Amino acid sequence: MIIFNKEKYEGIAAEDNAGIVGENLVSKVEFTVNDFVGKNTIAAIHLRFKDGSVNTVAPQTVKTVNNSTYIMWKIGKNDIFCHGWVEVQLELREEETTLQTDIVRLFAGESIPIEDKGFTNPNSETLALRDEAKKCWDKIAEQNKQIENNIKVIADSDITLKEEKANKVTLKADVTDESYPSVAYLENYYYDYDDVDDEIQNLKSSVDTKLNLKADKADTLAGYGITDAYDKTYINRSLNLKLDKRPFDTEPKYNSPNYITSGTVYNSVNSLRQTVVQNKADIEKSLANKYDAANNEIGSGELSPGQTIYEGSAGNFVYAKNGDAVTVSVNITSMLADKTYLQMTGLPFPSKAESRLASIAVYSTKNKLRNVRIDGSWIYISAPSDKFVEDEKMNFVVTYIIRR
């Protein structure tokens, strides 16, 4: 059951008066539902107002008191849509259990909050209709204002600017700068649609008659019925056998488009032949005195340790060969430290045997004096008074005769 304070509402029959809350000046309503207790109770308050609008609000407090459920609804704006009576039904849910109370009618005076006029509540059909009606009245007022403005514009118009009927003419002879044509004038001096259409049809008939006397458009002579004329293929074949008409030159000229006589051609060709023969002899004589360019060669390569005990050493080279002589620029990029001797192989050409009997002295990057000797395609490097040091490198150039 629902427990609330009942107080007679003045002017209402006793059988229709279920009571009002407090003295009609409260901002909250309290309900107690006996014999309904839950741990996670969800409550809703369903409202139906005198004008037929409805609303559902959530109470601010739902809690268990003894063996009952206490509900407190703090009335806020947009909760109450219409003053007068309001029907209330409580709904409580606890897991799969739902309780709906009987509908009780209460009475609300002007002191209970009503909706904010600037707020649109989607649950109120009454408010929606009221707003729609207001929009209609505003539109009607706007149209009435426009009608009044139009009437004022017409009233304020200068009637003297209107055209006089007396200036309307029907004959071309009556046309002046101040007159304007009437419908009769337009009918007298201009074709209407039917007249223009008749003229077009007559013209089309005349053109069709003349076109029927013409041959159909074709791409060949046969298409026009001509069978005894030379065709394009025959003429092109005949023209291809003809020379273009040009004058003859008496002697060959550079870039000349003209022809030359056969005698001129013979004399010129014969003279040219003799010149070519002489030039050929001169060139062959000159070439015999030149060195064969095929004996020249340039290239590069890598050096590798001559034995496994020298692994870790590395080097490369570039060379230029001219006949039997070759010049090699050697770059030893890695030398094993604490060694006094190094053998590297891989030179591009083997040297003559005599080269093994000669050596050169070269300073390394550590400013150490080193002996270098070439034997075949091998390079031998030795330290006469000390040992190679860490990160020591060498660069030198040797020229030798290739062994054949």
Side-chain angles (χ1 to χ4, degrees):
M1 61 176 294
I2 302 174
I3 299 177
F4 53 87
N5 294 327
K6 291 186 177 181
E7 184 172 330
K8 180 176 178 54
Y9 190 82
E10 295 182 0
I12 302 299
E15 60 272 13
D16 295 330
N17 184 15
I20 59 174
V21 178
E23 296 182 354
N24 205 24
L25 297 174
V26 299
S27 60
K28 68 179 180 179
V29 183
E30 297 175 328
F31 302 93
T32 299
V33 181
N34 293 330
D35 300 324
F36 189 95
V37 177
K39 295 181 179 179
N40 299 297
T41 301
I42 299 174
I45 303 174
H46 303 303
L47 307 173
R48 182 175 178 273
F49 303 97
K50 182 178 181 181
D51 63 350
S53 59
V54 296
N55 193 14
T56 297
V57 297
Q60 281 69 29
T61 302
V62 178
K63 63 181 181 179
T64 300
V65 177
N66 296 326
N67 194 34
S68 302
T69 298
Y70 168 80
I71 298 174
M72 188 275 287
W73 165 34
K74 185 177 181 181
I75 303 174
K77 68 178 182 179
N78 304 301
D79 287 353
I80 304 298
F81 293 164
C82 177
H83 290 305
W85 57 260
V86 55
E87 293 178 340
V88 179
Q89 182 185 45
L90 301 182
E91 180 177 328
L92 290 86
R93 294 179 180 270
E94 176 67 28
E95 296 182 351
E96 298 181 357
T97 302
T98 300
L99 170 66
Q100 288 184 330
T101 66
D102 293 336
I103 297 175
V104 177
R105 178 174 293 185
L106 306 178
F107 292 89
E110 291 294 335
S111 60
I112 292 182
I114 201 167
E115 79 282 354
D116 183 352
K117 295 299 188 293
F119 183 84
T120 301
N121 192 311
N123 292 327
S124 175
E125 296 180 3
T126 300
L127 291 180
L129 293 174
R130 182 195 65 191
D131 292 341
E132 190 67 25
K134 184 177 183 304
K135 292 179 182 178
C136 292
W137 280 110
D138 291 342
K139 191 65 177 180
I140 293 173
E142 180 182 345
Q143 296 295 331
N144 287 337
K145 185 177 180 180
Q146 185 62 46
I147 292 173
E148 292 175 358
N149 290 337
N150 294 342
I151 293 174
K152 186 175 184 303
V153 170
I154 295 173
D156 294 341
S157 299
D158 187 356
I159 197 66
T160 60
L161 299 178
K162 304 300 181 180
E163 186 60 71
E164 295 289 343
K165 289 185 178 181
N167 292 331
K168 182 170 64 175
V169 297
T170 58
L171 299 176
K172 185 178 294 185
D174 297 333
V175 174
T176 65
D177 292 339
E178 298 179 353
S179 62
Y180 65 95
S182 63
V183 175
Y185 177 89
L186 298 175
E187 291 177 347
N188 290 335
Y189 297 102
Y190 293 90
Y191 287 110
D192 61 12
Y193 172 80
D194 293 334
D195 293 337
V196 172
D197 186 64
D198 291 342
E199 289 294 327
I200 292 175
Q201 292 300 325
N202 293 336
L203 178 61
K204 180 179 182 301
S205 177
S206 177
V207 171
D208 290 342
T209 300
K210 294 179 180 180
L211 286 177
N212 290 332
L213 301 176
K214 303 294 182 180
D216 294 334
K217 183 178 180 180
D219 296 327
T220 63
L221 293 174
Y224 290 103
I226 301 173
T227 59
D228 58 349
Y230 293 121
D231 61 13
K232 180 179 179 181
T233 302
Y234 179 84
I235 293 175
N236 287 340
R237 183 174 63 249
S238 299
L239 289 176
N240 288 335
L241 301 176
K242 303 296 183 181
L243 294 175
D244 294 338
K245 183 177 180 180
R246 292 175 183 168
F248 285 83
D249 291 335
T250 57
E251 62 181 16
K253 295 180 180 179
Y254 179 70
N255 284 340
S256 174
N258 300 329
Y259 307 121
I260 58 176
T261 62
S262 60
T264 302
V265 173
Y266 174 79
N267 293 334
S268 298
V269 171
N270 187 51
S271 177
L272 179 61
R273 183 186 66 80
Q274 294 176 1
T275 301
V276 170
V277 171
Q278 184 60 45
N279 290 344
K280 179 175 180 295
D282 293 341
I283 292 173
E284 289 176 347
K285 182 179 179 180
S286 178
L287 289 176
N289 297 325
K290 300 295 182 180
Y291 192 80
D292 189 358
N295 290 323
N296 295 333
E297 180 182 337
I298 60 175
S300 62
E302 299 290 332
L303 296 174
S304 58
Q307 299 183 43
T308 56
I309 61 175
Y310 302 116
E311 288 184 354
S313 301
N316 53 62
F317 61 86
V318 295
Y319 68 90
K321 172 182 169 294
N322 188 353
D324 289 337
V326 61
T327 299
V328 184
S329 175
V330 179
N331 181 22
I332 304 299
T333 59
S334 178
M335 302 171 65
L336 296 178
D338 296 327
K339 298 284 187 181
T340 61
Y341 195 68
L342 173 62
Q343 295 177 356
M344 302 291 286
T345 184
L347 288 176
F349 302 99
S351 64
K352 295 188 69 174
E354 292 86 341
S355 297
R356 73 179 65 178
L357 303 177
S359 66
I360 59 174
V362 178
Y363 278 98
S364 70
T365 57
K366 298 298 184 178
N367 203 27
K368 302 290 185 177
L369 187 62
R370 306 303 183 206
N371 289 331
V372 177
R373 184 169 60 87
I374 304 297
D375 186 2
S377 58
W378 289 57
I379 298 176
Y380 299 90
I381 302 174
S382 61
S385 60
D386 56 1
K387 294 181 179 181
F388 303 144
V389 298
E390 189 72 28
D391 199 31
E392 185 173 359
K393 301 176 182 178
M394 293 182 63
N395 298 283
F396 55 90
V397 177
V398 293
T399 299
Y400 59 90
I401 298 174
I402 300 173
R403 183 177 65 204
R404 296 297 182 181

